Amino acid sequence: MNAPLAASAIDPVLLDGLRALLGSRVSTSESDRAQHGRDESRHAARLPDAVCRAVTTEEVAAIVRLCAAHDTPIVAYGAGSSLEGALIPVKGGVSLDLTGMNQILSVRAEDLDATVQAGVTRKQLNAHLRDTGLFFPVDPGADATIGGMAATRASGTNAVRYGTMRENVVNLTVVLSDGRIIRTRSRAKKSSAGYDLTGLFVGQEGTLGIITEVTVRLYGIPEVMAAATCSFPSVDAAVDTVIQTIQMGIPISRVELLDDRAIEAVNAYSKLTLPVTPTLFFEFAGSQSGVEEQASIVEDLAKGEGASNWRWSTDADERAKLWQARHDIHWAIRALRPGAKGWGTDVCVPISALAEVIREVRKETSQQSFGTTLVGHVGDGNFHLGMQIDPDDPAEWAKANEINDRMVKHAIALGGTCTGEHGVGIGKMKFMREEHGEALDVMRLIKNALDPKGIFNPGKVLPA
């Protein structure tokens, strides 16, 4: 699965132009190219021909103009945490590293928004906001860049209360394929003027334009926050508790499901002692009385489904330890089978269909030779299947592919989507026609109009 260390094939004239613009921030070294030719997905790495590190929107525009003149692909690169191959330069070209664009440009506390460069990470932004009483809530787990989160329409554990990047991006600065720089809308709370360009570029995975600045919504830090866990006799019982909680309108901040195999991994990796059974992680936020009331109602619902070991706490350190364990699940699962290749996949369904899809997936994975774990942002119908595959066993790869295909097709048949937050990248392209039908042709028209030369992240999102 490692990329061959092939020589760079970039046009020497283009390389000279890039070096004249960026100097030492252009690299063709094998180590830089290897770093930018892979992500956290199962997909085979592919080296770019060069790596460019930009620090301003104007530099990005100049790089795009140079690459367009030489018909050279450009793949925007952030934290490198994609799980569906979105960052892999499958046709070579330039990997455009935006991590140096890490300036927080302005915070307008009175308007509850902030504007940042694309390379600012969510943790960096929240650290900067600490003394304002505000925070940015979208939390995909990894310390992803805000630009990458916008490009992939990221969500995460807080989405059940605060929504995804779709709801939390106010406007964008985007570089188009001819080097033009646009802003997608104003900062006004609402607008009826023109097409929703912000919505178009949020989630396009770098195939329509390169996001260089993002204005995001901010929220007040709640007065009280409490975390709770409880164990269930079955995954069905846990999911039923979540469904009842959502349908009752209880304003939980987060609710996460880990199956027994995921709990086993978390206990070992994060040094916890949770009972090895399907477990829900909750977070409640609000006033002291409001949090207590929310927790009491959910505890009663959980016990009605046979839950036990209800524990809750408002202690910040204890909450942080629990949620860090949840965020470390990717690495915890990897540690269950050293040397294995991780395959993380996700789907999202209407919450009423969640128990059915999970039940079928559990049935299919229960007898496999490779390890599987199930983790879900079940409050919004999104769950993740992790499979640890022997990289040298074709039979395991074939079975994992079969399980993934069946799970995705089942989700789509129930009114769901092939991916709730991982993105399409390379891995989910084959399901796009089944999910979108003729709307896929409209997407292709948009792609051809905005990127007629096909230089932005080719080979992703839209199947050939």
Side-chain angles (χ1 to χ4, degrees):
M1 289 292 175
N2 292 323
L5 295 180
S8 170
I10 194 168
D11 184 328
V13 177
L14 171 58
L15 187 59
D16 287 344
L18 292 170
R19 284 178 170 155
L21 176 68
L22 302 174
S24 62
R25 288 183 283 125
V26 178
S27 174
T28 57
S29 73
E30 288 186 349
S31 59
D32 270 341
R33 292 164 57 221
Q35 175 192 345
H36 290 77
R38 61 178 183 268
D39 55 19
E40 294 299 326
S41 74
R42 71 190 189 279
H43 301 289
R46 166 67 160 88
L47 272 62
D49 296 310
V51 176
C52 292
R53 292 177 168 86
V55 295
T56 67
T57 295
E58 290 70 26
E59 281 188 349
V60 171
I63 293 165
V64 168
R65 286 192 290 269
L66 284 168
C67 288
H70 293 268
D71 297 325
T72 298
I74 308 171
V75 180
Y77 184 93
S81 55
S82 170
L83 293 172
E84 285 295 352
L87 301 175
I88 297 172
V90 294
K91 296 190 177 182
V94 169
S95 178
L96 179 51
D97 190 320
L98 301 175
T99 56
M101 297 184 67
N102 58 4
Q103 300 300 306
I104 296 171
L105 301 175
S106 60
V107 174
R108 294 166 293 268
E110 65 279 8
D111 291 328
L112 298 177
D113 68 36
T115 301
V116 302
Q117 288 186 307
V120 170
T121 68
R122 64 175 186 87
K123 288 184 179 179
Q124 178 190 350
L125 176 56
N126 278 324
H128 184 85
L129 294 170
R130 188 175 294 128
D131 295 334
T132 67
L134 302 174
F135 80 118
F136 174 63
V138 184
D139 180 2
D143 191 20
T145 62
I146 302 294
M149 290 167 63
T152 57
R153 202 183 297 123
S155 54
T157 57
N158 276 327
V160 65
R161 178 164 182 162
Y162 295 102
T164 71
M165 287 298 283
R166 181 184 66 186
E167 291 80 27
N168 287 287
V169 173
V170 177
N171 63 36
L172 300 166
T173 300
V174 180
V175 175
L176 302 181
S177 65
D178 59 3
R180 280 181 295 168
I181 300 168
I182 66 167
R183 286 174 175 79
T184 57
R185 58 159 288 180
S186 70
R187 288 198 302 112
K189 191 75 172 179
K190 62 182 181 179
S191 172
S192 297
Y195 301 137
D196 181 8
L197 295 182
T198 304
L200 177 63
F201 284 100
V202 172
Q204 45 87 31
E205 299 184 35
T207 62
L208 302 179
I210 296 178
I211 296 169
T212 60
E213 295 178 10
V214 188
T215 298
V216 295
R217 301 189 194 284
L218 305 177
Y219 297 81
I221 297 173
E223 175 189 341
V224 176
M225 300 177 74
T229 63
C230 57
S231 306
F232 288 84
S234 67
V235 169
D236 279 8
V239 172
D240 286 344
T241 298
V242 174
I243 292 173
Q244 292 174 58
T245 299
I246 299 300
Q247 290 176 341
M248 287 184 66
I250 299 168
I252 51 174
S253 293
R254 306 195 242 195
V255 56
E256 299 286 299
L257 168 67
L258 277 68
D259 72 359
D260 49 346
R261 294 178 289 244
I263 290 295
E264 182 183 353
V266 162
N267 280 345
Y269 188 85
S270 300
K271 307 297 187 291
L272 299 179
T273 56
L274 297 169
V276 183
T277 63
T279 300
L280 288 179
F281 288 55
F282 292 97
E283 186 168 89
F284 307 96
S287 65
Q288 182 69 43
S289 60
V291 164
E292 290 175 357
E293 181 182 15
Q294 294 168 32
S296 176
I297 294 171
V298 173
E299 180 181 8
D300 288 343
L301 292 175
K303 288 181 176 177
E305 294 294 334
S308 58
N309 299 301
W310 175 269
R311 297 191 305 165
W312 84 296
S313 174
T314 58
D315 180 77
D317 290 338
E318 189 169 343
R319 281 194 304 106
K321 184 177 180 181
L322 277 176
W323 286 109
Q324 187 59 48
R326 166 61 185 90
H327 287 329
D328 286 342
I329 188 66
H330 177 73
W331 306 109
I333 293 168
R334 287 280 189 91
L336 286 177
R337 194 181 189 191
K341 183 72 175 179
W343 182 335
T345 182
D346 81 315
V347 295
C348 189
V349 295
I351 196 167
S352 60
L354 186 61
E356 178 181 340
V357 178
I358 289 178
R359 190 182 307 116
E360 289 303 310
V361 171
R362 293 265 300 177
K363 189 184 303 180
E364 281 214 50
T365 59
S366 61
Q367 302 301 319
Q368 299 310 316
S369 59
F370 48 85
T372 62
T373 52
L374 192 144
V375 179
H377 309 315
V378 286
D380 52 19
N382 182 203
F383 72 92
H384 307 256
L385 177 66
M387 299 178 281
Q388 302 306 306
I389 314 299
D390 181 344
D392 300 317
D393 188 336
E396 286 195 2
W397 282 109
K399 188 61 183 178
N401 190 64
E402 180 184 327
I403 289 170
N404 180 61
D405 283 5
R406 287 183 180 174
M407 180 182 75
V408 171
K409 290 175 182 294
H410 193 186
I412 292 172
L414 291 171
T417 176
C418 65
T419 175
E421 62 182 23
H422 287 186
V424 176
I426 300 168
K428 295 291 177 70
M429 284 195 301
K430 62 182 178 179
F431 304 111
M432 290 290 280
R433 174 66 66 179
E434 185 167 352
E435 179 172 337
H436 294 288
E438 292 189 8
L440 183 64
D441 300 325
V442 178
M443 296 181 197
R444 190 170 283 113
L445 288 172
I446 294 170
K447 168 69 171 175
N448 291 339
L450 290 177
D451 183 20
K453 290 189 172 185
I455 62 171
F456 281 154
N457 208 5
K460 314 291 173 55
V461 182
L462 302 178

